[in-house]
Amino acid sequence: MLSKKERLQIAPVKMREQRPEQRIHNQNEVPLGYSPQEAILEAERCLQCKNAPCINGCPVEVDIPGFIGEIARGNFSAAFFKVSEKNVLPAICGRVCPQEEQCQAECTVTKVLKSAERSVNIGKLERFVADYAREKGMRPRVAHQAKSGKKVAVIGSGPAGLTVAGDLARLGHEVTLFEALHVVGGVLVYGIPEFRLPKSIVEYEIDALQQSGVGLKCNYVIGKIKSIKEMLREFDSVFIGTGAGLPRFMEIPGENLIGVYSANEYLTRANLMHAFDFPRSDTPILSGDTVAVVGGGNVAMDAARTALRAGAKKVTLVYRRSEKEMPARLEEIEHARQEGVRFQFLVNPVRILADQNEWVSGMELVRMKLGEPDSTGRRRPVVVPGSEFTMKTDLVIMAIGNSPNPLLLHETPELSINEWGGIIADPETGATSIAGVFAGGDIVLGAATVILAMGQGRRAAQSMHTYMMHSNGKKV
Amino acid sequence: MKKMIENTIIAKKTLAPGITSLKIYAPEICAKHKAGQFVILRGWPGGERIPLTIANTDRAKGAITLIFQSVGKTTLQLATLAVGDRVLDMAGPLGTRTHIERFGTVVCIGGGIGTAPLLPITKAMKAAGNKIVTILGFRSRDYIILQNEIEQLSDTLIIITDDGSSGQKGLVTDVLQQLFADGIKIDRIMAIGPAIMMRAVAELTRRAAIPTIASLNPIMIDGTGMCGGCRVTINGSMKFVCVDGPEFDAHQVAWDEVMQRLRTYKQHECRALENYQQNQPERISYAE
């Protein structure tokens, strides 16, 4: 057994990555994964704290020291079973969770060494075990409870919906998952690019759900083809996880010119519709030598890096605050920078410029400076008077966030919504203003993260189970 | 009897050169459809998602009718599907319903293929007790569609063609101007056709202050408000046609922008078409 001191002396094991100059010419994943030896070495860095502070940082409460201990002993299958007790989508979470703000922020190693970069790489280890299991064709070993005879409808097949479906199927309920698009997975398939989350991984996880008895219905726009009221006649409870799918625009002149995309549209064309295979794929997409992306979140990074892979020679990301305030994960920012994405901070577009054919030719921007903190605690950017300047660009991609998708809510007036259009749901149970209807994920949180949506799904599933088994139809 | 699979084509007709009518088994969409609504369909693996307005429903058979003109690769290939084939994906009914009430005299104006989405609206307007005057404009006699169906619903039907091969020679706006000149009181106008026609109608009726509704057909992907590709400026503010429309007050639509945005993929469309015509595959069956 290694001593605590010895464990602390092991340097964090970096994950090998595709070289930037190579990866911008393909869609393959950037980090290549740990080898078994690398995973064991990294796992040995875990101090196996009795109080396991890392678990408190995990919205779905994975037994982190438990699974890492199994890796350290070389028991990769056991490690996978441990992770999949709590996490129905480990290969996805290992890749896209902001671990640095969650489990890894709580990690004792982080605190002792006073360095976030030296925390145990929990996310990378989770990815390792999930990938190991997938390569071996393993499935979670979770006992399914006896059939309850209760029927559940889950609306929206993103991270929240997938978690609810997985959890409730394990509890013996008959679950049907409704998806508006022609493919299941929500933001995992239309939003997050292949190079960050290979679609084969999403398919494998969804396949596992199907094997556990979850029914999938694509091309179902609930609210239009069926109302919530009708759903409640067919199902004992309903979960709404329709996400934050409505793209925001800046409301500046020129935003409807040809060559301005929402990040949602750009990424959907690229990821869901395979537009870069045009004309082998029927869906087209515009490409340009110079591309400007407006925004500083993970979606902005995804759009910028997708544009590079589409052959853009110069991709510039413009953000109205400074680098420090960017909401994107550090890893995403680093990857984008390595690949050649340029950053312009403290600038904001005020107008999009057109050529004589009404196609985008550039943007007019102003410089910003940081003023007093706003309600989010970040310093509010204010315009520097007289600082206008222009920038040439062939395409503009707006990645300034999404609002809750209002389609279902418009058709369901009895559902209480808050001032920014999200569903009001009990933070503990996910219960909404309609008995038997629960909600979670971005439709409640606003645009957040995959794992937070899963955490909400987990809690909602528990309370839906309680509701169906004990309430005799009364509101919980 | 074998259970019918959803999205199976149960009848197919060529209505005019390049204009196809597909009757598709889709009982749930059929049951919920209201005039003005559309579906998004994807015909085959690798296909694009396109919006098509529902032209008719057959409740007894649980089927909807889609009518389209083959102008590009997708619509050409769609026209190669046969009875028994199925379209791969179809979602709907999408969009808002036409505002139907007893207005008095409603003039329904259809231009070319726009006659198809006009049909259920005319039907609903008639059922609400309106007097229906229908103006249909076509390129020539050969391209006239749905004449009988519309005639049954109309108190007056006027057909006009670009070349005068049927009815008068001229544009639908010429007929509308004639109605104005005759002093006919018009309470509401529904106009569906090419954007240039809808804009011309809007300009004419704006002066006469007659409420005019147009149905827009922009490029869409998801049809549920997610991508914003179908955005349009209505009275100075941004709307998404898929969820806020497809019908809008024609006097408030930024028509130049609508037409501009329809040209976004012109080059791509030409390339896809050439590519398809050169490598036209044997007719592929998607029947199960």
Side-chain angles (χ1 to χ4, degrees), chain B residues 201-237:
Chain B
V201 169
E203 275 167 12
L204 203 57
T205 62
R206 190 196 318 267
R207 272 176 266 145
I210 301 171
T212 303
I213 304 298
S215 179
L216 305 185
N217 58 340
I219 296 162
M220 290 184 190
I221 308 178
D222 61 292
T224 63
M226 195 194 80
C227 81
C230 64
R231 63 193 185 275
V232 57
T233 306
I234 303 293
N235 199 20
S237 65

Side-chain angles (χ1 to χ4, degrees), chain A residues 11-77:
Chain A
V13 181
K14 286 208 162 69
M15 194 176 269
R16 285 163 293 121
E17 294 181 344
Q18 270 201 82
R19 283 180 297 114
E21 59 278 17
Q22 173 194 358
R23 71 196 191 217
I24 60 168
H25 299 296
N26 65 53
Q27 292 290 325
N28 301 338
E29 205 174 1
V30 171
L32 299 169
Y34 279 151
S35 68
Q37 294 74 18
E38 287 169 329
I40 290 172
L41 184 59
E42 181 62 28
E44 282 176 343
R45 300 183 58 238
C46 174
L47 304 178
Q48 293 292 317
C49 310
K50 288 259 171 344
N51 59 344
C54 46
I55 299 178
N56 298 329
C58 177
V60 298
E61 296 166 354
V62 168
D63 177 0
I64 294 166
F67 93 82
I68 294 183
E70 295 293 2
I71 296 177
R73 289 186 287 277
N75 300 333
F76 303 143
S77 307

Side-chain angles (χ1 to χ4, degrees), chain A residues 281-348:
Chain A
S281 164
D282 288 344
T283 304
I285 193 166
L286 298 175
S287 44
D289 284 343
T290 56
V291 177
V293 179
V294 182
N298 289 326
V299 175
M301 302 301 149
D302 285 346
R305 297 172 67 196
T306 298
L308 278 178
R309 284 160 177 76
K313 294 193 177 73
K314 184 180 165 194
V315 177
T316 309
L317 190 138
V318 300
Y319 181 55
R320 64 194 182 125
R321 304 183 203 240
S322 73
E323 177 161 9
K324 217 170 64 196
E325 285 83 20
M326 276 209 292
R329 292 181 68 193
L330 267 180
E331 185 183 327
E332 305 308 326
I333 298 168
E334 261 172 45
H335 280 155
R337 191 168 266 146
Q338 289 164 2
E339 290 169 9
V341 173
R342 299 159 197 229
F343 291 81
Q344 283 212 31
F345 298 109
L346 292 164
V347 296
N348 205 27

Side-chain angles (χ1 to χ4, degrees), chain B residues 129-140:
Chain B
N130 291 290
K131 182 174 178 229
I132 307 290
V133 178
T134 309
I135 308 170
L136 300 180
F138 298 100
R139 213 187 311 169
S140 72

Side-chain angles (χ1 to χ4, degrees), chain A residues 333-397:
Chain A
I333 298 168
E334 261 172 45
H335 280 155
R337 191 168 266 146
Q338 289 164 2
E339 290 169 9
V341 173
R342 299 159 197 229
F343 291 81
Q344 283 212 31
F345 298 109
L346 292 164
V347 296
N348 205 27
V350 289
R351 168 195 308 279
I352 298 166
L353 307 169
D355 65 12
Q356 66 276 16
N357 298 318
E358 298 295 307
W359 282 59
V360 168
S361 64
M363 294 198 292
E364 184 181 316
L365 303 100
V366 285
R367 300 207 181 274
M368 312 292 281
K369 61 181 180 199
L370 293 179
E372 295 302 307
D374 64 12
S375 59
T376 67
R378 293 183 300 177
R379 292 174 67 193
R380 187 192 304 274
V382 287
V383 175
V384 177
S387 64
E388 290 81 2
F389 67 103
T390 60
M391 175 177 159
K392 278 194 176 169
T393 188
D394 302 322
L395 285 184
V396 176
I397 301 169

